[in-house]
């Protein structure tokens, strides 16, 4: 099993198969438009522009499960991302990534790569750790998505290679992408 076995809905609610991305290196993200990590869209768009000609793709799945930071409709999210960040990589319909209503794609991704830990050097790490440990002292032990902008790196064969938490520096992610391209 790999990501090509899944169907998802694009931002316009049309069903698409992820097998259309066969042969590409992919970065799958769960995003939010009103998050402290939302400025990562700039870095992600730059990364996409830099490597898209080398069969690299970013697949963006908005999610409102973390602090209600993606409250808009699909149309509002698309409009915001276009106007504020000029996003040109594929965006998909808002989904849930945790819990019983988690999208099957995210259930698969989490089964392949568990929580990777936060970058201790990132300014938001203490905030995330405090908030998550207050909600669940054992949060580090399960594979759930912890916050917006968690990223999964997928190889050309559709296999999950690595998971990056939202605090991971973009240059670390870029170096891993270059290894696969």
């Amino acid at each position: 099993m790999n990501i090509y076995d899944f169907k998802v809905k694009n931002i316009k609610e049309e069903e698409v198969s992820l097998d259309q991305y066969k042969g590409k290196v992919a970065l799958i993200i769960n995003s939010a438009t009103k998050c402290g990590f939302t400025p990562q869209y700039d870095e992600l768009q730059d990364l996409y522009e830099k490597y898209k000609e080398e069969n690299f793709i970013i697949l963006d799945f908005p999610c409102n499960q973390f602090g209600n930071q993606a409250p808009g409709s699909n149309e509002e999210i698309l409009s915001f991302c276009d106007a504020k960040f000029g996003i040109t990589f594929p965006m998909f319909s808002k989904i849930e990534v945790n819990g019983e209503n988690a999208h099957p794609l995210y259930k698969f991704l989490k089964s392949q790569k568990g929580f990777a830990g936060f970058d201790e050097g990132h300014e938001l790490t203490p905030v995330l750790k405090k908030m998550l440990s207050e909600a669940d002292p054992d949060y580090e032990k399960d594979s759930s998505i912890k916050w917006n902008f968690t990223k999964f790196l997928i190889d050309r064969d559709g296999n999950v290679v690595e998971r990056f938490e939202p605090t991971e520096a973009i240059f670390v992610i870029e170096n891993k992408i270059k290894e696969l391209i």
Side-chain angles (χ1 to χ4, degrees):
M1 185 169 211
N2 61 46
I3 68 154
Y4 305 138
D5 296 319
F6 294 93
K7 291 184 176 168
V8 296
K9 289 189 177 179
N10 66 19
I11 197 84
K12 298 180 191 289
E13 294 287 333
E14 301 161 332
E15 188 172 85
V16 295
S17 175
L18 291 181
D19 70 1
Q20 70 180 323
Y21 301 110
K22 277 185 179 171
K24 293 183 181 280
V25 172
L27 191 66
I28 298 176
I29 66 171
N30 64 289
S31 65
T33 53
K34 299 183 183 305
C35 176
F37 292 106
T38 301
Q40 286 186 14
Y41 267 132
D42 271 334
E43 296 174 317
L44 291 165
Q45 180 61 32
D46 290 347
L47 202 59
Y48 177 63
E49 289 294 326
K50 190 172 183 179
Y51 296 106
K52 70 181 180 182
E53 298 302 320
E54 297 181 59
N55 282 321
F56 171 69
I57 193 81
I58 295 175
L59 307 176
D60 178 12
F61 291 87
C63 177
N64 197 36
Q65 285 187 287
F66 306 100
N68 295 313
Q69 295 179 343
S73 67
N74 285 340
E75 295 78 22
E76 291 167 330
I77 291 169
L78 180 62
S79 178
F80 171 85
C81 289
D82 181 45
K84 180 104 171 124
F85 299 103
I87 298 302
T88 59
F89 49 78
M91 296 184 71
F92 295 86
S93 183
K94 193 186 316 185
I95 62 167
E96 290 189 16
V97 297
N98 288 333
E100 65 182 59
N101 295 322
H103 192 283
L105 171 64
Y106 266 82
K107 289 179 181 178
F108 172 73
L109 293 170
K110 294 182 300 184
S111 77
Q112 300 300 297
K113 292 289 176 187
F115 177 60
F118 296 117
D119 176 356
E120 291 300 326
H122 195 282
E123 63 187 24
L124 293 178
T125 292
V127 175
L128 287 170
K129 285 176 131 181
K130 182 179 187 305
M131 180 183 52
L132 291 168
S133 63
E134 286 174 358
D136 176 9
D138 294 325
Y139 77 91
E140 294 177 324
K141 295 181 178 159
D142 70 63
S143 66
S144 67
I145 303 299
K146 307 306 180 204
W147 206 251
N148 305 306
F149 289 89
T150 299
K151 302 160 195 78
F152 290 89
L153 184 60
I154 313 300
D155 69 14
R156 293 181 189 279
D157 297 318
N159 302 306
V160 182
V161 177
E162 193 140 359
R163 173 174 167 167
F164 303 101
E165 301 308 323
T167 55
E168 191 66 66
I170 200 74
F171 76 87
V172 172
I173 299 167
E174 181 175 8
N175 287 337
K176 294 291 184 178
I177 290 167
K178 288 194 292 191
E179 288 175 17
L180 296 179
I181 291 177

